[in-house]
Coordinates of all heavy atoms in Angstrom, one line a residue:
M30 N 12.1 -7.3 7.4 CA 12.3 -7.3 6.1 C 11.1 -7.1 5.3 O 10.2 -7.9 5.6 CB 13.1 -8.6 5.7 CG 13.4 -8.5 4.1 SD 14.2 -10.1 3.4 CE 15.5 -10.4 4.6
I31 N 11.1 -6.5 4.1 CA 9.8 -6.4 3.4 C 10.2 -7.0 1.9 O 11.2 -6.5 1.3 CB 9.4 -5.0 3.1 CG1 8.9 -4.4 4.5 CG2 8.2 -4.8 2.0 CD1 8.6 -3.0 4.6
N32 N 9.5 -8.1 1.5 CA 9.8 -8.6 0.2 C 8.7 -8.2 -0.6 O 7.4 -8.4 -0.2 CB 9.9 -10.1 0.4 CG 11.0 -10.6 1.1 OD1 12.1 -10.1 0.7 ND2 10.9 -11.4 2.2
L33 N 9.0 -7.7 -1.9 CA 7.9 -7.3 -2.8 C 8.1 -7.9 -4.1 O 9.2 -7.7 -4.6 CB 7.9 -5.8 -2.8 CG 6.7 -5.1 -3.5 CD1 6.2 -3.8 -2.8 CD2 7.0 -4.9 -5.0
R34 N 7.1 -8.4 -4.8 CA 7.2 -9.0 -6.1 C 6.1 -8.4 -6.9 O 4.9 -8.4 -6.5 CB 7.2 -10.4 -6.1 CG 7.5 -11.0 -7.5 CD 7.8 -12.6 -7.4 NE 6.5 -13.1 -7.4 CZ 6.3 -14.4 -7.0 NH1 7.3 -15.0 -6.3 NH2 5.1 -15.0 -7.0
N35 N 6.4 -7.7 -8.0 CA 5.3 -7.1 -8.9 C 5.2 -8.0 -10.1 O 6.1 -8.0 -10.9 CB 5.7 -5.7 -9.2 CG 4.7 -5.1 -10.1 OD1 3.6 -5.5 -10.3 ND2 5.0 -3.8 -10.7
E36 N 4.1 -8.6 -10.2 CA 3.7 -9.3 -11.5 C 2.7 -8.7 -12.3 O 2.2 -9.3 -13.3 CB 3.2 -10.8 -11.0 CG 4.4 -11.6 -10.4 CD 3.8 -13.0 -10.0 OE1 2.7 -13.3 -10.3 OE2 4.7 -13.7 -9.5
Q37 N 2.4 -7.4 -12.0 CA 1.6 -6.6 -12.8 C 2.2 -6.1 -14.0 O 3.4 -6.2 -14.3 CB 1.2 -5.3 -12.0 CG 0.3 -5.5 -10.8 CD -1.0 -5.9 -11.1 OE1 -1.6 -5.6 -12.0 NE2 -1.7 -6.6 -10.2
T38 N 1.4 -5.8 -15.0 CA 1.9 -5.3 -16.3 C 2.1 -3.8 -16.4 O 2.7 -3.4 -17.3 CB 0.9 -5.7 -17.5 OG1 -0.4 -5.1 -17.1 CG2 0.9 -7.2 -17.6
F39 N 1.6 -3.2 -15.3 CA 1.9 -1.7 -15.3 C 3.0 -1.3 -14.3 O 3.2 -2.0 -13.3 CB 0.6 -0.9 -15.1 CG -0.1 -1.4 -13.8 CD1 0.2 -0.7 -12.6 CD2 -1.1 -2.4 -13.7 CE1 -0.3 -1.0 -11.3 CE2 -1.6 -2.7 -12.6 CZ -1.4 -2.0 -11.4
P40 N 3.6 -0.1 -14.5 CA 4.7 0.2 -13.6 C 4.1 0.7 -12.3 O 3.2 1.2 -12.2 CB 5.5 1.2 -14.3 CG 4.5 1.8 -15.3 CD 3.5 0.7 -15.6
I41 N 4.9 0.3 -11.2 CA 4.6 0.8 -9.8 C 5.9 1.2 -9.2 O 6.9 0.6 -9.4 CB 3.8 -0.2 -9.1 CG1 3.3 0.3 -7.8 CG2 4.6 -1.5 -8.9 CD1 2.2 -0.4 -7.1
D42 N 5.9 2.3 -8.4 CA 7.0 2.7 -7.6 C 7.3 1.8 -6.4 O 6.7 2.0 -5.4 CB 6.9 4.1 -7.2 CG 8.1 4.8 -6.5 OD1 9.0 4.0 -6.2 OD2 8.1 6.1 -6.5
T43 N 8.0 0.7 -6.6 CA 8.2 -0.4 -5.5 C 8.9 0.2 -4.4 O 8.6 -0.2 -3.2 CB 8.8 -1.6 -6.2 OG1 10.0 -1.3 -6.8 CG2 7.9 -2.3 -7.1
K44 N 9.8 1.1 -4.7 CA 10.6 1.7 -3.5 C 9.7 2.6 -2.6 O 9.8 2.4 -1.4 CB 11.7 2.6 -4.1 CG 12.9 1.9 -4.7 CD 14.0 2.8 -5.1 CE 15.1 2.1 -5.7 NZ 16.2 2.9 -6.1
K45 N 8.8 3.3 -3.2 CA 7.9 4.1 -2.4 C 6.8 3.1 -1.7 O 6.6 3.3 -0.6 CB 7.1 5.0 -3.4 CG 6.1 5.9 -2.6 CD 5.4 6.8 -3.6 CE 4.4 7.7 -2.9 NZ 3.7 8.8 -3.8
L46 N 6.3 2.1 -2.4 CA 5.6 1.1 -1.7 C 6.1 0.4 -0.5 O 5.6 0.3 0.6 CB 5.0 0.1 -2.7 CG 4.0 -1.0 -2.1 CD1 2.8 -0.3 -1.5 CD2 3.6 -1.9 -3.2
K47 N 7.4 0.1 -0.7 CA 8.1 -0.6 0.4 C 8.4 0.3 1.6 O 8.2 0.0 2.7 CB 9.5 -1.1 0.0 CG 9.4 -2.4 -0.9 CD 10.7 -2.8 -1.4 CE 11.3 -3.9 -0.6 NZ 12.6 -4.5 -1.1
A48 N 8.7 1.6 1.2 CA 8.9 2.7 2.4 C 7.6 2.9 3.1 O 7.5 3.0 4.3 CB 9.3 3.9 1.7
Q49 N 6.3 2.9 2.4 CA 5.1 3.1 3.0 C 4.8 1.8 3.9 O 4.3 2.0 5.0 CB 4.0 3.3 1.9 CG 4.0 4.6 1.2 CD 3.2 4.8 0.1 OE1 2.8 3.7 -0.5 NE2 2.7 6.0 -0.2
A50 N 5.1 0.8 3.4 CA 4.8 -0.5 4.2 C 5.7 -0.5 5.5 O 5.4 -0.8 6.5 CB 5.2 -1.7 3.4
R51 N 6.9 -0.1 5.3 CA 7.9 0.0 6.5 C 7.3 1.0 7.5 O 7.3 0.7 8.6 CB 9.2 0.4 6.0 CG 10.4 0.2 7.0 CD 11.8 0.4 6.4 NE 12.0 -0.6 5.3 CZ 12.2 -0.2 4.0 NH1 12.0 0.9 3.6 NH2 12.5 -1.2 3.2
T52 N 6.9 2.1 7.1 CA 6.2 3.1 7.9 C 5.0 2.5 8.6 O 5.0 2.7 9.9 CB 5.9 4.4 7.1 OG1 7.0 5.0 6.5 CG2 5.2 5.5 8.0
L53 N 4.2 1.9 8.0 CA 3.0 1.3 8.6 C 3.3 0.3 9.6 O 2.9 0.2 10.7 CB 2.1 0.6 7.5 CG 0.8 -0.1 7.9 CD1 -0.1 1.0 8.7 CD2 0.1 -0.8 6.8
L54 N 4.4 -0.6 9.3 CA 4.8 -1.5 10.3 C 5.3 -0.8 11.6 O 5.0 -1.3 12.7 CB 5.9 -2.6 9.7 CG 5.4 -3.5 8.7 CD1 6.6 -4.3 8.2 CD2 4.4 -4.5 9.4
G55 N 6.1 0.3 11.4 CA 6.5 1.0 12.6 C 5.4 1.6 13.3 O 5.6 1.6 14.6
V56 N 4.4 2.1 12.7 CA 3.3 2.7 13.5 C 2.6 1.7 14.2 O 2.1 2.0 15.3 CB 2.3 3.5 12.4 CG1 1.1 3.8 13.0 CG2 3.0 4.6 11.8
L57 N 2.4 0.5 13.6 CA 1.8 -0.7 14.4 C 2.6 -1.3 15.4 O 2.2 -2.2 16.1 CB 1.3 -1.6 13.4 CG 0.2 -1.1 12.4 CD1 -0.1 -2.2 11.3 CD2 -1.1 -0.7 13.1
D58 N 3.9 -0.8 15.5 CA 4.9 -1.3 16.5 C 5.3 -2.8 16.2 O 5.5 -3.6 17.0 CB 4.3 -1.2 18.0 CG 5.5 -1.4 18.9 OD1 6.7 -1.1 18.5 OD2 5.1 -1.7 20.0
Y59 N 5.3 -3.0 14.8 CA 5.7 -4.3 14.4 C 7.0 -4.1 13.4 O 7.1 -4.8 12.5 CB 4.5 -5.0 13.4 CG 3.4 -5.4 14.3 CD1 2.1 -5.4 13.7 CD2 3.4 -5.9 15.6 CE1 1.0 -5.7 14.4 CE2 2.3 -6.3 16.2 CZ 1.1 -6.2 15.7 OH 0.0 -6.6 16.4
A60 N 7.8 -3.2 13.6 CA 9.0 -2.9 12.9 C 9.8 -4.1 12.7 O 10.5 -4.2 11.7 CB 9.7 -1.7 13.4
S61 N 9.8 -5.0 13.6 CA 10.8 -6.2 13.5 C 10.1 -7.3 12.8 O 10.8 -8.4 12.5 CB 11.2 -6.6 14.9 OG 9.9 -7.1 15.6
F62 N 8.8 -7.2 12.3 CA 8.1 -8.3 11.6 C 8.5 -8.2 10.2 O 8.9 -7.2 9.5 CB 6.7 -8.1 11.8 CG 6.0 -8.6 13.0 CD1 6.7 -8.4 14.2 CD2 4.9 -9.3 13.0 CE1 6.1 -8.8 15.4 CE2 4.3 -9.8 14.1 CZ 4.9 -9.5 15.4
D63 N 8.5 -9.4 9.4 CA 8.6 -9.5 8.0 C 7.3 -9.3 7.4 O 6.2 -9.6 7.9 CB 9.2 -10.8 7.6 CG 10.6 -11.0 8.2 OD1 11.4 -10.0 8.4 OD2 11.0 -12.2 8.4
L64 N 7.4 -8.8 6.1 CA 6.1 -8.7 5.4 C 6.3 -9.0 3.9 O 7.4 -8.6 3.4 CB 5.7 -7.2 5.4 CG 4.5 -6.7 4.6 CD1 3.1 -7.4 5.1 CD2 4.3 -5.3 4.6
G65 N 5.5 -9.8 3.4 CA 5.6 -10.1 1.8 C 4.4 -9.5 1.1 O 3.4 -9.7 1.5
I66 N 4.9 -8.9 0.0 CA 3.7 -8.4 -0.8 C 3.9 -8.9 -2.2 O 5.0 -8.8 -2.8 CB 3.8 -6.8 -0.8 CG1 3.7 -6.2 0.5 CG2 2.7 -6.2 -1.8 CD1 4.1 -4.8 0.6
L67 N 2.9 -9.4 -2.7 CA 2.8 -9.9 -4.1 C 1.7 -9.0 -4.8 O 0.6 -9.1 -4.5 CB 2.5 -11.4 -4.2 CG 2.2 -11.9 -5.6 CD1 3.3 -11.7 -6.6 CD2 1.8 -13.3 -5.5
L68 N 2.2 -8.4 -5.9 CA 1.2 -7.7 -6.7 C 0.9 -8.5 -7.9 O 1.7 -8.6 -8.9 CB 1.8 -6.3 -7.2 CG 2.2 -5.3 -6.0 CD1 3.0 -4.0 -6.5 CD2 0.9 -5.0 -5.2
A69 N -0.3 -9.3 -7.8 CA -0.6 -10.3 -8.7 C -1.5 -9.8 -9.9 O -2.1 -8.7 -9.6 CB -1.2 -11.4 -8.1
T70 N -1.5 -10.5 -11.0 CA -2.4 -10.1 -12.1 C -3.9 -10.5 -11.6 O -4.0 -11.3 -10.7 CB -2.1 -11.0 -13.3 OG1 -2.3 -12.3 -13.0 CG2 -0.7 -10.7 -13.8
P71 N -4.8 -10.0 -12.3 CA -6.2 -10.3 -11.8 C -6.5 -11.8 -12.0 O -7.2 -12.5 -11.3 CB -7.1 -9.5 -12.9 CG -6.3 -8.4 -13.2 CD -5.0 -8.9 -13.2
E72 N -5.9 -12.4 -13.0 CA -6.1 -13.8 -13.3 C -5.5 -14.7 -12.2 O -6.1 -15.6 -11.6 CB -5.6 -14.3 -14.6 CG -6.1 -13.6 -15.8 CD -5.7 -12.2 -16.1 OE1 -4.6 -11.9 -15.5 OE2 -6.4 -11.5 -16.9
D73 N -4.2 -14.3 -11.8 CA -3.6 -15.0 -10.7 C -4.4 -14.9 -9.3 O -4.4 -15.8 -8.5 CB -2.1 -14.6 -10.5 CG -1.3 -15.2 -11.7 OD1 -1.7 -16.1 -12.3 OD2 -0.1 -14.6 -11.9
I74 N -4.8 -13.7 -9.0 CA -5.4 -13.5 -7.8 C -6.7 -14.3 -7.6 O -7.1 -14.7 -6.6 CB -5.6 -11.9 -7.4 CG1 -5.7 -11.9 -5.8 CG2 -6.7 -11.4 -8.1 CD1 -5.5 -10.5 -5.3
H75 N -7.3 -14.4 -8.8 CA -8.6 -15.2 -8.9 C -8.3 -16.6 -8.6 O -8.9 -17.3 -7.7 CB -9.2 -15.1 -10.3 CG -10.5 -15.9 -10.5 ND1 -11.3 -15.7 -11.6 CD2 -11.0 -16.9 -9.8 CE1 -12.3 -16.6 -11.5 NE2 -12.1 -17.2 -10.5
L76 N -7.2 -17.1 -9.1 CA -6.8 -18.6 -8.7 C -6.3 -18.7 -7.3 O -6.7 -19.7 -6.7 CB -5.6 -19.0 -9.7 CG -5.9 -19.0 -11.2 CD1 -4.7 -19.4 -12.0 CD2 -7.0 -20.1 -11.4
Y77 N -5.6 -17.8 -6.8 CA -5.2 -17.8 -5.3 C -6.5 -17.7 -4.4 O -6.7 -18.5 -3.4 CB -4.3 -16.7 -4.8 CG -3.0 -16.6 -5.5 CD1 -2.4 -15.5 -6.1 CD2 -2.3 -17.8 -5.6 CE1 -1.2 -15.6 -6.6 CE2 -0.9 -17.8 -6.0 CZ -0.4 -16.7 -6.6 OH 0.8 -16.7 -7.2
N78 N -7.5 -16.9 -4.8 CA -8.7 -16.9 -4.0 C -9.5 -18.3 -4.1 O -10.0 -18.7 -3.0 CB -9.7 -15.8 -4.6 CG -10.7 -15.3 -3.6 OD1 -10.6 -15.4 -2.4 ND2 -11.8 -14.8 -4.2
R79 N -9.4 -18.8 -5.3 CA -10.1 -20.2 -5.5 C -9.4 -21.2 -4.7 O -10.0 -22.0 -4.0 CB -10.2 -20.6 -6.9 CG -10.9 -21.7 -7.2 CD -10.7 -22.4 -8.6 NE -9.3 -22.7 -8.7 CZ -8.6 -23.0 -9.8 NH1 -9.2 -22.7 -10.9 NH2 -7.4 -23.3 -9.7
D80 N -8.1 -21.2 -4.8 CA -7.4 -22.3 -4.3 C -7.1 -22.3 -2.7 O -7.2 -23.3 -2.1 CB -5.9 -22.4 -5.0 CG -6.1 -22.8 -6.4 OD1 -7.1 -23.2 -6.8 OD2 -5.0 -22.6 -7.0
Y81 N -7.0 -21.1 -2.2 CA -6.8 -20.9 -0.7 C -8.0 -20.6 0.1 O -8.1 -20.8 1.2 CB -5.6 -19.8 -0.5 CG -4.4 -20.3 -1.0 CD1 -3.8 -19.9 -2.2 CD2 -3.6 -21.1 -0.3 CE1 -2.6 -20.3 -2.7 CE2 -2.3 -21.7 -0.6 CZ -1.8 -21.2 -1.9 OH -0.7 -21.6 -2.3
R82 N -9.0 -20.0 -0.6 CA -10.2 -19.6 0.2 C -11.5 -20.3 -0.2 O -12.5 -20.1 0.2 CB -10.4 -18.0 0.2 CG -9.2 -17.3 0.8 CD -9.5 -15.8 0.8 NE -10.7 -15.5 1.5 CZ -11.7 -14.7 1.2 NH1 -11.7 -14.3 0.0 NH2 -12.7 -14.5 2.0
Q83 N -11.4 -21.0 -1.4 CA -12.5 -21.7 -2.1 C -13.6 -20.8 -2.4 O -14.8 -21.1 -2.4 CB -13.1 -22.7 -1.0 CG -12.1 -24.0 -0.8 CD -10.9 -23.7 0.0 OE1 -11.1 -23.1 1.1 NE2 -9.9 -24.0 -0.4
H84 N -13.2 -19.5 -2.8 CA -14.2 -18.6 -3.5 C -13.7 -18.5 -4.9 O -12.7 -17.8 -5.2 CB -14.1 -17.3 -2.8 CG -14.5 -17.3 -1.4 ND1 -15.9 -17.4 -1.0 CD2 -13.8 -17.3 -0.2 CE1 -15.9 -17.4 0.3 NE2 -14.7 -17.3 0.8
D85 N -14.3 -19.1 -5.8 CA -14.0 -19.1 -7.3 C -14.5 -17.8 -8.0 O -15.4 -17.8 -8.8 CB -14.6 -20.3 -8.0 CG -14.0 -20.5 -9.4 OD1 -13.1 -19.9 -9.7 OD2 -14.6 -21.4 -10.1
K86 N -13.8 -16.8 -7.6 CA -14.1 -15.3 -8.1 C -12.9 -14.5 -7.9 O -12.1 -14.7 -7.0 CB -15.4 -14.8 -7.6 CG -15.3 -14.6 -6.0 CD -16.6 -14.0 -5.5 CE -16.6 -13.9 -4.0 NZ -17.9 -13.4 -3.4
P87 N -12.8 -13.4 -8.6 CA -11.7 -12.5 -8.4 C -12.0 -11.7 -7.1 O -13.0 -11.6 -6.6 CB -11.7 -11.7 -9.7 CG -13.0 -11.7 -10.3 CD -13.6 -13.0 -9.8
T88 N -10.9 -11.1 -6.6 CA -11.0 -10.2 -5.5 C -9.9 -9.1 -5.6 O -8.9 -9.2 -6.5 CB -10.7 -11.1 -4.2 OG1 -11.0 -10.2 -3.0 CG2 -9.3 -11.7 -4.1
D89 N -10.0 -8.2 -4.7 CA -9.1 -7.0 -4.7 C -7.8 -7.4 -4.0 O -6.8 -6.9 -4.3 CB -9.6 -5.8 -4.3 CG -10.7 -5.1 -5.1 OD1 -10.7 -5.5 -6.3 OD2 -11.5 -4.5 -4.8
I90 N -7.9 -8.1 -2.9 CA -6.8 -8.3 -2.0 C -6.9 -9.6 -1.3 O -8.1 -10.0 -0.9 CB -6.6 -7.2 -0.9 CG1 -5.3 -7.2 -0.2 CG2 -7.9 -7.1 -0.1 CD1 -5.0 -5.9 0.6
L91 N -5.8 -10.2 -1.0 CA -5.8 -11.4 -0.2 C -4.7 -11.2 0.8 O -3.7 -10.7 0.5 CB -5.4 -12.7 -1.0 CG -6.5 -13.2 -2.0 CD1 -6.0 -14.3 -2.8 CD2 -7.9 -13.7 -1.1
S92 N -4.9 -11.8 2.1 CA -3.9 -11.6 3.1 C -3.7 -12.9 3.8 O -4.8 -13.7 3.9 CB -4.1 -10.6 4.1 OG -5.2 -10.8 4.8
F93 N -2.6 -13.3 4.1 CA -2.3 -14.6 4.8 C -1.3 -14.3 6.0 O -0.3 -13.6 5.8 CB -1.6 -15.6 3.9 CG -2.4 -15.9 2.5 CD1 -2.1 -15.1 1.5 CD2 -3.3 -17.0 2.7 CE1 -2.9 -15.5 0.3 CE2 -4.0 -17.2 1.5 CZ -3.8 -16.6 0.3
P94 N -1.7 -14.8 7.1 CA -0.9 -14.7 8.3 C 0.4 -15.4 8.3 O 0.5 -16.6 7.6 CB -1.7 -15.1 9.4 CG -2.6 -16.1 8.9 CD -2.8 -15.7 7.5
Y95 N 1.5 -14.8 8.8 CA 2.8 -15.5 8.8 C 3.0 -15.9 10.3 O 3.5 -17.0 10.5 CB 4.0 -14.6 8.4 CG 5.3 -15.1 8.3 CD1 5.7 -16.1 7.4 CD2 6.2 -14.9 9.4 CE1 6.9 -16.7 7.6 CE2 7.3 -15.4 9.6 CZ 7.8 -16.3 8.6 OH 9.1 -16.9 8.7
H96 N 2.6 -15.0 11.1 CA 2.8 -15.2 12.6 C 1.5 -15.7 13.1 O 0.4 -15.5 12.5 CB 3.3 -13.8 13.3 CG 4.5 -13.4 12.9 ND1 5.7 -14.0 13.3 CD2 4.9 -12.4 11.9 CE1 6.8 -13.4 12.7 NE2 6.3 -12.4 11.9
T97 N 1.5 -16.3 14.3 CA 0.3 -16.9 14.8 C -0.3 -15.8 15.8 O -1.4 -16.1 16.3 CB 0.5 -18.1 15.7 OG1 1.6 -17.8 16.7 CG2 1.0 -19.2 14.9
L98 N 0.4 -14.6 15.9 CA -0.2 -13.5 16.7 C -1.5 -12.8 16.1 O -1.5 -12.8 14.9 CB 0.9 -12.4 16.9 CG 2.1 -12.8 17.6 CD1 3.1 -11.7 17.7 CD2 1.8 -13.3 19.2
V99 N -2.3 -12.4 17.0 CA -3.5 -11.7 16.5 C -3.1 -10.2 16.4 O -2.3 -9.8 17.3 CB -4.6 -12.0 17.4 CG1 -5.9 -11.1 17.1 CG2 -5.1 -13.4 17.4
A100 N -3.6 -9.4 15.5 CA -3.3 -8.0 15.4 C -3.5 -7.4 16.8 O -4.5 -7.5 17.4 CB -4.1 -7.3 14.4
G101 N -2.5 -6.5 17.2 CA -2.7 -5.8 18.5 C -2.1 -6.6 19.7 O -1.9 -6.1 20.7
Q102 N -1.9 -7.9 19.5 CA -1.4 -8.7 20.5 C 0.2 -8.6 20.7 O 0.9 -8.4 19.7 CB -1.6 -10.2 20.2 CG -1.3 -11.3 21.4 CD -1.6 -12.7 20.8 OE1 -1.6 -13.0 19.6 NE2 -2.1 -13.5 21.8
R103 N 0.7 -8.6 21.9 CA 2.1 -8.4 22.1 C 2.9 -9.7 22.3 O 2.2 -10.6 22.7 CB 2.4 -7.6 23.3 CG 1.8 -6.1 23.3 CD 2.7 -5.3 22.5 NE 2.2 -4.1 22.3 CZ 2.4 -3.4 21.2 NH1 3.0 -3.9 20.2 NH2 1.8 -2.2 21.0
I104 N 4.0 -9.8 21.9 CA 4.8 -11.0 22.0 C 5.3 -11.2 23.6 O 5.6 -10.2 24.1 CB 6.1 -10.8 21.1 CG1 5.7 -10.7 19.7 CG2 7.1 -12.0 21.4 CD1 6.9 -10.5 18.8

């Protein structure tokens, strides 16, 4: 399942983004994995970066593992 939440102020084609994410998971052979995507405002991503990574500055992207597997590792 792909969960996507858009908190940006500009429009984005969320159906297309979810389809692209689903394709990527399939290519990586992780089609059965869940993926959560949050499109945050610059102010919010700055706070997430500060609170979760202890870097008090904005960033373009943050990622958090859901599974304990390492990329490329098989179940």
Side-chain angles (χ1 to χ4, degrees):
M30 177 188 314
I31 297 174
N32 293 306
L33 190 145
R34 190 169 81 204
N35 183 11
E36 295 181 356
Q37 295 285 336
T38 57
F39 57 88
I41 187 164
D42 187 344
T43 55
K44 288 183 182 182
K45 183 177 179 180
L46 181 55
K47 284 175 95 171
Q49 291 171 331
R51 193 172 296 111
T52 298
L53 180 60
L54 288 175
V56 168
L57 296 173
D58 200 23
Y59 292 148
S61 64
F62 280 43
D63 293 333
L64 177 64
I66 301 171
L67 169 63
L68 303 173
T70 65
E72 296 81 15
D73 285 341
I74 202 163
H75 181 162
L76 294 176
Y77 292 134
N78 199 29
R79 184 196 68 199
D80 294 349
Y81 291 99
R82 297 185 62 235
Q83 290 71 51
H84 296 283
D85 192 12
K86 60 183 180 180
T88 186
D89 292 338
I90 189 167
L91 289 171
S92 64
F93 300 93
Y95 179 78
H96 298 281
T97 57
L98 296 176
V99 175
Q102 185 181 31
R103 295 285 176 216
I104 298 174

